[in-house]
Amino acid sequence: MSRFNHQKYRPFPAIQIENRQWPDNTITKAPQWCSVDLRDGNQALIDPMTVEQKKRLFSLLVELGFKEIEVGFPAASQPDFDFVRALIDNNMIPDDVTVQVLTQAREHLIDRTIEALQGVKKAIVHVYNSTSTVQREQVFCMSREEIVGIAISGVKMIKERVAQHPDTQWRLEYSPESFTGTELDFAVEICDAVVAEWQATPENKVILNLPATVEMSTPNVFADQIEWFCRNIAKRDSVEISLHTHNDRGCAVAAAELGVLAGADRVEGTLMGNGERTGNMDIITMAMNLYSQGVNPELNLADAQKIVDVVEYCTNIPVNPRHPYIGELVYTAFSGSHQDAIKKCLSRYQEGQAWDVAYLPIDPRDLGRSYEAVIRINSQSGKGGVAYILESEYGLKLPRWLQIEFAGKVQKHTEQEARELKQTEIRELFDQHYLNSAAQFELVSYKLERSDQDYLNATVRCGDDVLTLQGEGNGAIHALTQALAETLGETVQVTEYSEHALSAGSDAKAVTYVQVKFGEQIQSGVAISEDTVAANLNAVLAAASTRLISAGATVA
């Protein structure tokens, strides 16, 4: 029998719930958001974030408007402990932001956790233990009573220790880990015990976080679980129901949305869904889903590119170009019929009207983006895009800004020729403008010394002369721009940069694309080389050559 055998799995059991209410509900306001990027997201990275990366991501989360941020598991590692201390000691936590930390219900871990939080103004101590049937029976070999005992013991220890620090505003969060695999009556039983032990009140609510630690069912079943729990928890007015969905079935956002319909107050997740296995619930997607329905997400997501840049820098994970709302290609139409429909709708749209544009669920400008149709092969037709041809036929993956620039050159050429261009002509036109253009600057050799600041010594041919360019900076490109600025007598700044290999293997060539600002003028440069650093330097020099040619200047 094939190993691919569905018969060894069984369907998740339906929840017996009468007169369920969530299907008729509507989300009219955003839930309380809690980012877990710095804890759950960080622990899923191949290379965990450095303290500097954590600080940058924390600053972004504050800027976006998060009021609750899980910042680590300080008892689990020294870097997490040091980061929490750095936030507190350097007064990096705004007064309206509450930091959250995770701990297991063990005495030495709780002691270390409270130590990490000393001096903080507001904190959520998030304690958890596994409650699911499979964990109890196969991992811990414990009874229900013993599992409840672990939770209560942990809560008692936390209550005793936070009482010694009355200057901090403390909240308790409890997670019955693997909630979705826990019998609902037992989930309620253990959570009722925790709420009673903490002596929760409507003024001092316990956060009961119900995690789909592993997504096990369709979202509607998860919603049934949440509604059943909300109906049966003893002190509903003294608890805040929180969700923490994972994406094993690809439905984390849908499950969280239906969970809110079913009565949840709060949602934990990460930016762009980073997390273990297939990831956490993507807060960006869920927040933008609310936004697209006219609901204020209570997060400021207006600068999509900044969010992408920071998350990619901190996680070292590229954002998929098809990522909902925020991916590079989500507002680009490759189909000619789609392009035509979008352009017609946009031509009719007036500011202040309700948004109703074909193929665009939201106005891209709201996120700092714009609608860009794929570059056409001629000025009249929609028979595909130049970008697609250059990538599929020649391996050149033009970044968006260069696609837009080259589109103008292609359109001008097709209008002059009054015909469709062949694939080879597209490539020849690209080479003419970017790879075979007249070179005022040509790299002869270079030496790069790396330390705290990289030092570049480059020999460059300029006409019949040979120049020596020397500069320091954060990398070879930055060092070269500093040297060029002194040589050209104007500021030189790289505003866009992209590079990739043209093929696989150790002898593969690299191609670099740059956009460089010389004073107030912007020029593009492209270079190909087996040496990645040389490709970077030559691309900047190509842009500088174009700058000199356009200005009618030379270097003495």
Coordinates of all heavy atoms in Angstrom, one line a residue, residues 249-329:
R249 N -3.5 24.1 8.6 CA -4.4 23.9 7.5 C -4.6 25.1 6.6 O -5.4 25.0 5.7 CB -5.8 23.5 8.1 CG -5.8 22.2 8.9 CD -7.2 22.0 9.6 NE -8.3 22.2 8.7 CZ -8.9 21.2 8.1 NH1 -8.5 19.9 8.3 NH2 -10.0 21.4 7.3
G250 N -3.8 26.1 6.8 CA -3.9 27.3 6.0 C -5.1 28.2 6.3 O -5.5 29.0 5.5
C251 N -5.7 28.0 7.5 CA -6.9 28.7 7.8 C -6.8 29.5 9.0 O -7.9 29.8 9.7 CB -8.1 27.7 7.9 SG -8.4 26.7 6.5
A252 N -5.6 29.9 9.5 CA -5.5 30.6 10.7 C -6.3 31.9 10.8 O -6.9 32.2 11.8 CB -4.0 30.9 11.0
V253 N -6.2 32.7 9.7 CA -6.9 34.0 9.7 C -8.4 33.7 9.7 O -9.2 34.4 10.5 CB -6.6 34.8 8.4 CG1 -7.5 36.0 8.3 CG2 -5.1 35.3 8.5
A254 N -8.9 32.8 8.9 CA -10.4 32.5 8.9 C -10.8 32.0 10.3 O -11.9 32.4 10.8 CB -10.7 31.4 7.9
A255 N -10.0 31.1 10.9 CA -10.4 30.6 12.2 C -10.5 31.7 13.3 O -11.4 31.8 14.1 CB -9.4 29.5 12.7
A256 N -9.5 32.7 13.2 CA -9.5 33.8 14.2 C -10.7 34.7 13.9 O -11.4 35.1 14.9 CB -8.2 34.6 14.0
E257 N -11.0 34.9 12.7 CA -12.2 35.8 12.4 C -13.5 35.1 12.9 O -14.3 35.8 13.5 CB -12.3 36.0 10.9 CG -11.2 37.0 10.3 CD -11.3 37.2 8.8 OE1 -11.8 36.3 8.1 OE2 -10.9 38.3 8.4
L258 N -13.7 33.8 12.6 CA -14.9 33.1 13.1 C -14.8 33.0 14.6 O -15.9 33.1 15.3 CB -15.0 31.8 12.5 CG -15.1 31.7 10.9 CD1 -15.6 30.3 10.5 CD2 -16.1 32.7 10.4
G259 N -13.6 32.9 15.2 CA -13.5 32.9 16.7 C -14.0 34.2 17.3 O -14.6 34.2 18.4
V260 N -13.7 35.3 16.6 CA -14.2 36.6 17.1 C -15.7 36.7 17.0 O -16.4 37.2 17.9 CB -13.5 37.8 16.4 CG1 -14.1 39.1 16.7 CG2 -12.0 37.8 16.7
L261 N -16.2 36.2 15.9 CA -17.7 36.2 15.7 C -18.3 35.3 16.8 O -19.4 35.6 17.2 CB -18.0 35.5 14.3 CG -17.7 36.3 13.1 CD1 -18.1 35.5 11.9 CD2 -18.5 37.7 13.1
A262 N -17.6 34.3 17.3 CA -18.1 33.4 18.3 C -18.0 34.0 19.7 O -18.4 33.3 20.7 CB -17.4 32.1 18.2
G263 N -17.3 35.1 19.9 CA -17.3 35.8 21.2 C -15.9 36.1 21.7 O -15.8 36.7 22.8
A264 N -14.8 35.8 21.0 CA -13.5 36.2 21.5 C -13.3 37.7 21.5 O -13.8 38.4 20.7 CB -12.4 35.5 20.7
D265 N -12.5 38.1 22.4 CA -12.2 39.6 22.6 C -10.8 40.0 22.1 O -10.6 41.2 21.8 CB -12.2 39.9 24.1 CG -13.5 39.4 24.8 OD1 -14.6 39.8 24.4 OD2 -13.3 38.6 25.7
R266 N -10.0 39.0 21.9 CA -8.5 39.4 21.7 C -7.9 38.4 20.8 O -8.4 37.2 20.7 CB -7.8 39.3 23.1 CG -6.4 39.6 23.2 CD -5.9 39.5 24.6 NE -4.6 39.9 24.9 CZ -3.5 39.1 24.9 NH1 -3.7 37.8 24.7 NH2 -2.3 39.5 25.2
V267 N -6.9 38.8 20.0 CA -6.3 37.9 19.0 C -4.8 38.1 19.1 O -4.2 39.2 19.1 CB -6.7 38.2 17.6 CG1 -5.9 37.4 16.6 CG2 -8.2 37.9 17.4
E268 N -4.0 37.0 19.2 CA -2.6 37.0 19.2 C -2.1 36.5 17.8 O -2.8 35.6 17.2 CB -2.0 36.1 20.2 CG -2.3 36.5 21.6 CD -1.5 35.7 22.7 OE1 -1.0 34.6 22.3 OE2 -1.5 36.1 23.8
G269 N -1.0 37.1 17.3 CA -0.5 36.7 16.0 C 0.8 37.4 15.7 O 1.3 38.1 16.5
T270 N 1.2 37.3 14.4 CA 2.5 37.9 14.0 C 2.3 38.7 12.7 O 1.3 38.4 12.0 CB 3.6 36.9 13.8 OG1 3.2 36.0 12.8 CG2 3.9 36.1 15.1
L271 N 3.2 39.6 12.4 CA 3.2 40.3 11.2 C 3.5 39.4 10.1 O 4.6 38.7 10.1 CB 4.2 41.5 11.2 CG 4.0 42.5 12.3 CD1 5.0 43.6 12.2 CD2 2.6 43.1 12.3
M272 N 2.7 39.2 9.1 CA 2.9 38.3 7.9 C 2.9 36.9 8.3 O 3.4 36.0 7.5 CB 4.1 38.7 7.1 CG 3.9 39.8 6.1 SD 3.9 41.4 6.7 CE 5.7 41.8 6.6
G273 N 2.5 36.5 9.5 CA 2.3 35.1 9.8 C 3.5 34.3 10.1 O 3.4 33.0 10.1
N274 N 4.7 34.9 10.4 CA 5.8 34.1 10.8 C 5.5 33.2 12.0 O 4.9 33.7 12.9 CB 7.0 35.0 11.0 CG 8.2 34.2 11.5 OD1 8.6 33.2 11.0 ND2 8.8 34.7 12.6
G275 N 6.0 32.0 12.0 CA 5.8 31.2 13.2 C 6.2 29.7 12.9 O 6.5 29.4 11.7
E276 N 6.1 28.9 13.9 CA 6.4 27.5 13.7 C 5.6 26.8 12.7 O 4.4 27.1 12.5 CB 6.3 26.8 15.1 CG 7.4 27.2 16.1 CD 7.3 26.5 17.4 OE1 6.2 26.6 18.0 OE2 8.2 25.8 17.7
R277 N 6.2 25.8 12.0 CA 5.6 25.0 11.0 C 5.0 25.9 9.9 O 5.8 26.6 9.2 CB 4.5 24.1 11.6 CG 5.0 23.2 12.7 CD 3.9 22.3 13.2 NE 2.7 22.9 13.6 CZ 2.5 23.6 14.8 NH1 3.5 23.6 15.7 NH2 1.4 24.2 15.1
T278 N 3.8 26.0 9.7 CA 3.2 26.9 8.6 C 2.9 28.3 9.1 O 2.5 29.1 8.4 CB 1.9 26.3 8.0 OG1 1.0 26.0 9.1 CG2 2.2 25.0 7.3
G279 N 3.2 28.5 10.4 CA 3.1 29.9 10.9 C 2.0 30.2 11.8 O 1.1 29.4 12.0
N280 N 2.0 31.4 12.4 CA 1.0 32.0 13.2 C -0.1 32.7 12.4 O 0.1 32.9 11.2 CB 1.6 33.0 14.2 CG 2.3 32.3 15.3 OD1 1.7 31.9 16.3 ND2 3.6 32.3 15.3
M281 N -1.1 33.1 13.0 CA -2.2 33.9 12.4 C -1.5 35.2 12.0 O -0.8 35.9 12.7 CB -3.3 34.2 13.4 CG -4.6 34.6 12.8 SD -4.7 36.2 12.2 CE -4.4 37.2 13.6
D282 N -1.8 35.6 10.8 CA -1.2 36.9 10.2 C -2.1 38.1 10.6 O -3.2 38.3 10.0 CB -1.1 36.7 8.7 CG -0.6 38.0 8.0 OD1 -0.2 38.9 8.7 OD2 -0.6 38.0 6.7
I283 N -1.5 38.9 11.5 CA -2.3 40.0 11.9 C -2.5 41.1 10.8 O -3.6 41.7 10.7 CB -1.6 40.7 13.2 CG1 -1.7 39.8 14.4 CG2 -2.2 42.1 13.4 CD1 -1.1 40.3 15.6
I284 N -1.5 41.2 9.9 CA -1.7 42.2 8.8 C -2.9 41.8 8.0 O -3.7 42.6 7.7 CB -0.4 42.2 8.0 CG1 0.8 42.7 8.7 CG2 -0.7 43.1 6.7 CD1 0.8 44.1 9.1
T285 N -3.0 40.5 7.6 CA -4.1 40.1 6.8 C -5.5 40.3 7.5 O -6.4 40.8 6.9 CB -3.9 38.6 6.4 OG1 -2.7 38.5 5.6 CG2 -5.1 38.1 5.5
M286 N -5.5 39.8 8.8 CA -6.8 39.9 9.5 C -7.2 41.4 9.7 O -8.4 41.8 9.5 CB -6.8 39.2 10.8 CG -8.1 39.3 11.5 SD -8.2 38.2 13.0 CE -9.8 38.7 13.7
A287 N -6.2 42.2 10.0 CA -6.5 43.7 10.2 C -7.0 44.3 8.9 O -7.9 45.1 8.9 CB -5.3 44.4 10.8
M288 N -6.3 44.0 7.8 CA -6.7 44.5 6.5 C -8.1 44.0 6.0 O -8.8 44.6 5.3 CB -5.6 44.3 5.5 CG -4.4 45.2 5.7 SD -4.8 46.9 5.8 CE -5.6 47.2 4.2
N289 N -8.4 42.7 6.4 CA -9.7 42.2 6.1 C -10.8 43.1 6.8 O -11.8 43.4 6.2 CB -9.8 40.8 6.6 CG -9.1 39.8 5.7 OD1 -8.6 40.1 4.6 ND2 -9.0 38.5 6.1
L290 N -10.6 43.4 8.0 CA -11.5 44.3 8.7 C -11.6 45.7 8.0 O -12.7 46.2 7.8 CB -11.1 44.5 10.2 CG -11.1 43.3 11.1 CD1 -10.6 43.6 12.5 CD2 -12.4 42.5 11.1
Y291 N -10.4 46.2 7.7 CA -10.3 47.5 7.0 C -11.1 47.5 5.7 O -11.8 48.5 5.4 CB -8.8 47.8 6.8 CG -8.6 49.1 6.1 CD1 -8.4 50.3 6.9 CD2 -8.4 49.2 4.7 CE1 -8.1 51.5 6.3 CE2 -8.1 50.4 4.1 CZ -8.0 51.6 4.9 OH -7.7 52.8 4.3
S292 N -11.0 46.4 5.0 CA -11.7 46.3 3.7 C -13.2 46.3 3.8 O -14.0 46.5 2.9 CB -11.2 45.1 2.9 OG -11.7 43.9 3.5
Q293 N -13.7 46.0 5.1 CA -15.1 46.0 5.3 C -15.6 47.2 6.1 O -16.7 47.3 6.6 CB -15.5 44.7 6.2 CG -15.1 43.4 5.6 CD -15.8 43.2 4.3 OE1 -17.0 43.2 4.2 NE2 -15.0 43.0 3.2
G294 N -14.7 48.2 6.1 CA -15.1 49.5 6.7 C -15.0 49.5 8.2 O -15.5 50.4 8.9
V295 N -14.2 48.6 8.8 CA -14.0 48.5 10.2 C -12.6 49.0 10.5 O -11.6 48.6 9.9 CB -14.1 47.1 10.8 CG1 -13.8 47.0 12.3 CG2 -15.5 46.5 10.5
N296 N -12.5 49.9 11.5 CA -11.2 50.5 11.9 C -10.3 49.4 12.5 O -10.7 48.9 13.6 CB -11.4 51.6 12.8 CG -10.0 52.3 13.3 OD1 -9.0 51.9 12.8 ND2 -10.1 53.3 14.1
P297 N -9.2 49.0 11.9 CA -8.4 47.9 12.5 C -7.6 48.3 13.7 O -7.0 47.5 14.4 CB -7.4 47.5 11.4 CG -7.3 48.8 10.6 CD -8.6 49.5 10.7
E298 N -7.6 49.6 14.0 CA -6.9 50.2 15.2 C -5.4 49.9 15.1 O -4.7 49.8 16.1 CB -7.5 49.7 16.5 CG -9.0 50.2 16.6 CD -9.6 49.8 17.9 OE1 -8.9 49.4 18.8 OE2 -10.9 49.8 18.0
L299 N -4.9 49.7 13.9 CA -3.5 49.6 13.6 C -3.2 50.5 12.4 O -4.0 50.5 11.5 CB -3.0 48.2 13.3 CG -3.2 47.1 14.5 CD1 -2.8 45.7 13.9 CD2 -2.2 47.5 15.6
N300 N -2.0 51.2 12.5 CA -1.7 52.1 11.3 C -0.8 51.3 10.4 O 0.4 51.1 10.6 CB -1.0 53.3 11.9 CG -0.6 54.3 10.7 OD1 -1.0 54.1 9.6 ND2 0.1 55.3 11.1
L301 N -1.4 50.8 9.3 CA -0.7 50.0 8.3 C -0.4 50.8 7.0 O -0.2 50.2 5.9 CB -1.5 48.7 8.0 CG -1.9 47.9 9.3 CD1 -2.7 46.7 8.9 CD2 -0.6 47.5 10.0
A302 N -0.4 52.1 7.1 CA -0.3 52.9 5.9 C 1.0 52.8 5.1 O 1.0 53.0 3.9 CB -0.6 54.4 6.2
D303 N 2.1 52.4 5.8 CA 3.4 52.3 5.1 C 3.7 50.9 4.9 O 4.5 50.3 5.7 CB 4.4 53.1 5.9 CG 5.7 53.3 5.1 OD1 5.9 52.6 4.1 OD2 6.6 54.1 5.5
A304 N 3.1 50.2 4.0 CA 3.3 48.8 3.8 C 4.8 48.4 3.5 O 5.3 47.4 4.0 CB 2.5 48.3 2.6
Q305 N 5.5 49.3 2.7 CA 6.9 48.9 2.4 C 7.8 48.9 3.6 O 8.7 48.1 3.7 CB 7.4 49.9 1.3 CG 8.7 49.4 0.7 CD 8.6 48.0 0.1 OE1 7.7 47.7 -0.7 NE2 9.5 47.1 0.5
K306 N 7.5 49.9 4.5 CA 8.3 49.9 5.7 C 8.1 48.7 6.5 O 9.1 48.1 7.1 CB 8.0 51.2 6.6 CG 8.8 51.3 7.8 CD 8.5 52.5 8.6 CE 9.4 52.6 9.9 NZ 9.1 53.9 10.6
I307 N 6.9 48.2 6.6 CA 6.6 47.0 7.4 C 7.3 45.8 6.8 O 8.0 45.0 7.5 CB 5.1 46.7 7.4 CG1 4.4 47.9 8.2 CG2 4.8 45.4 8.1 CD1 2.8 47.8 8.0
V308 N 7.3 45.7 5.4 CA 7.9 44.6 4.7 C 9.4 44.7 5.0 O 10.1 43.7 5.3 CB 7.6 44.7 3.2 CG1 8.5 43.7 2.5 CG2 6.2 44.3 3.0
D309 N 10.0 45.9 4.9 CA 11.5 46.0 5.0 C 11.9 45.6 6.4 O 12.9 44.9 6.5 CB 11.9 47.5 4.7 CG 11.7 47.9 3.3 OD1 11.6 47.0 2.4 OD2 11.7 49.1 3.0
V310 N 11.2 46.1 7.4 CA 11.6 45.8 8.8 C 11.5 44.3 9.1 O 12.4 43.6 9.7 CB 10.9 46.6 9.8 CG1 11.2 46.2 11.2 CG2 11.2 48.1 9.6
V311 N 10.3 43.7 8.7 CA 10.1 42.3 9.0 C 11.1 41.4 8.2 O 11.7 40.5 8.8 CB 8.7 41.9 8.6 CG1 8.5 40.4 8.7 CG2 7.7 42.6 9.5
E312 N 11.4 41.7 7.0 CA 12.4 41.0 6.2 C 13.8 41.1 6.9 O 14.5 40.1 7.0 CB 12.5 41.4 4.8 CG 11.2 41.0 4.0 CD 11.4 41.3 2.5 OE1 12.1 42.3 2.2 OE2 10.8 40.6 1.7
Y313 N 14.1 42.3 7.3 CA 15.4 42.5 8.0 C 15.5 41.7 9.3 O 16.6 41.1 9.5 CB 15.6 44.0 8.2 CG 16.8 44.3 9.1 CD1 18.1 44.2 8.7 CD2 16.6 44.7 10.5 CE1 19.2 44.5 9.5 CE2 17.6 44.9 11.3 CZ 18.9 44.9 10.8 OH 20.0 45.1 11.7
C314 N 14.5 41.7 10.0 CA 14.5 41.1 11.4 C 14.4 39.6 11.3 O 14.9 38.9 12.2 CB 13.5 41.7 12.3 SG 13.7 43.5 12.7
T315 N 13.7 39.1 10.4 CA 13.4 37.6 10.3 C 14.3 36.9 9.3 O 14.4 35.7 9.3 CB 12.0 37.3 10.0 OG1 11.7 37.8 8.6 CG2 11.0 37.9 11.0
N316 N 14.9 37.7 8.4 CA 15.7 37.1 7.2 C 14.8 36.2 6.4 O 15.3 35.2 5.8 CB 16.9 36.3 7.7 CG 17.9 37.3 8.4 OD1 18.2 38.3 7.8 ND2 18.4 36.9 9.5
I317 N 13.5 36.5 6.3 CA 12.6 35.7 5.5 C 11.9 36.6 4.5 O 11.3 37.6 4.9 CB 11.5 35.0 6.4 CG1 12.1 34.0 7.4 CG2 10.4 34.3 5.5 CD1 11.0 33.5 8.3
P318 N 12.1 36.4 3.2 CA 11.5 37.3 2.2 C 9.9 37.1 2.2 O 9.4 36.1 2.4 CB 12.0 36.8 0.9 CG 12.4 35.3 1.1 CD 12.8 35.3 2.6
V319 N 9.3 38.3 2.0 CA 7.8 38.3 2.0 C 7.4 37.8 0.6 O 7.9 38.3 -0.5 CB 7.3 39.7 2.2 CG1 5.8 39.7 2.0 CG2 7.6 40.1 3.7
N320 N 6.5 36.8 0.5 CA 6.0 36.3 -0.7 C 5.4 37.4 -1.6 O 4.6 38.2 -1.0 CB 5.0 35.2 -0.5 CG 4.6 34.4 -1.7 OD1 4.1 34.9 -2.7 ND2 4.9 33.1 -1.7
P321 N 5.7 37.5 -2.9 CA 5.1 38.6 -3.7 C 3.6 38.5 -3.8 O 3.0 39.5 -4.2 CB 5.8 38.4 -5.0 CG 6.3 37.0 -5.0 CD 6.7 36.7 -3.6
R322 N 3.0 37.3 -3.5 CA 1.6 37.2 -3.5 C 0.9 37.3 -2.1 O -0.2 36.9 -2.0 CB 1.2 35.8 -4.2 CG 1.7 35.7 -5.6 CD 1.0 36.7 -6.5 NE 1.4 36.5 -7.9 CZ 1.1 37.3 -8.9 NH1 0.3 38.4 -8.6 NH2 1.4 37.1 -10.1
H323 N 1.7 37.7 -1.2 CA 1.1 37.8 0.2 C 0.0 38.8 0.2 O 0.0 39.9 -0.4 CB 2.2 38.3 1.2 CG 1.9 38.1 2.6 ND1 2.4 37.1 3.3 CD2 1.0 38.8 3.4 CE1 1.9 37.1 4.6 NE2 1.1 38.2 4.6
P324 N -1.2 38.4 0.9 CA -2.3 39.3 0.8 C -2.0 40.7 1.3 O -1.3 40.9 2.2 CB -3.3 38.6 1.8 CG -2.9 37.2 1.8 CD -1.4 37.2 1.6
Y325 N -2.5 41.7 0.5 CA -2.5 43.1 0.8 C -1.1 43.7 0.6 O -0.9 44.8 0.2 CB -3.0 43.4 2.2 CG -4.5 43.1 2.3 CD1 -4.9 42.0 3.1 CD2 -5.5 43.9 1.8 CE1 -6.2 41.7 3.2 CE2 -6.8 43.6 1.9 CZ -7.2 42.4 2.6 OH -8.5 42.1 2.8
I326 N 0.0 43.0 1.1 CA 1.3 43.6 1.3 C 2.3 43.1 0.3 O 3.4 43.6 0.3 CB 1.7 43.4 2.7 CG1 2.5 44.6 3.2 CG2 2.3 42.1 3.0 CD1 2.6 44.7 4.7
G327 N 2.0 42.0 -0.4 CA 3.0 41.5 -1.4 C 3.3 42.4 -2.5 O 2.5 43.2 -2.9
E328 N 4.4 42.2 -3.1 CA 4.9 43.1 -4.2 C 4.0 43.1 -5.4 O 3.8 44.1 -6.1 CB 6.3 42.7 -4.6 CG 6.9 43.6 -5.7 CD 8.3 43.2 -6.1 OE1 8.7 42.0 -5.7 OE2 9.0 43.9 -6.8
L329 N 3.3 41.9 -5.7 CA 2.6 41.8 -6.9 C 1.1 41.8 -6.8 O 0.3 41.6 -7.7 CB 3.0 40.5 -7.6 CG 4.4 40.3 -8.1 CD1 4.6 39.0 -8.8 CD2 4.7 41.5 -9.1

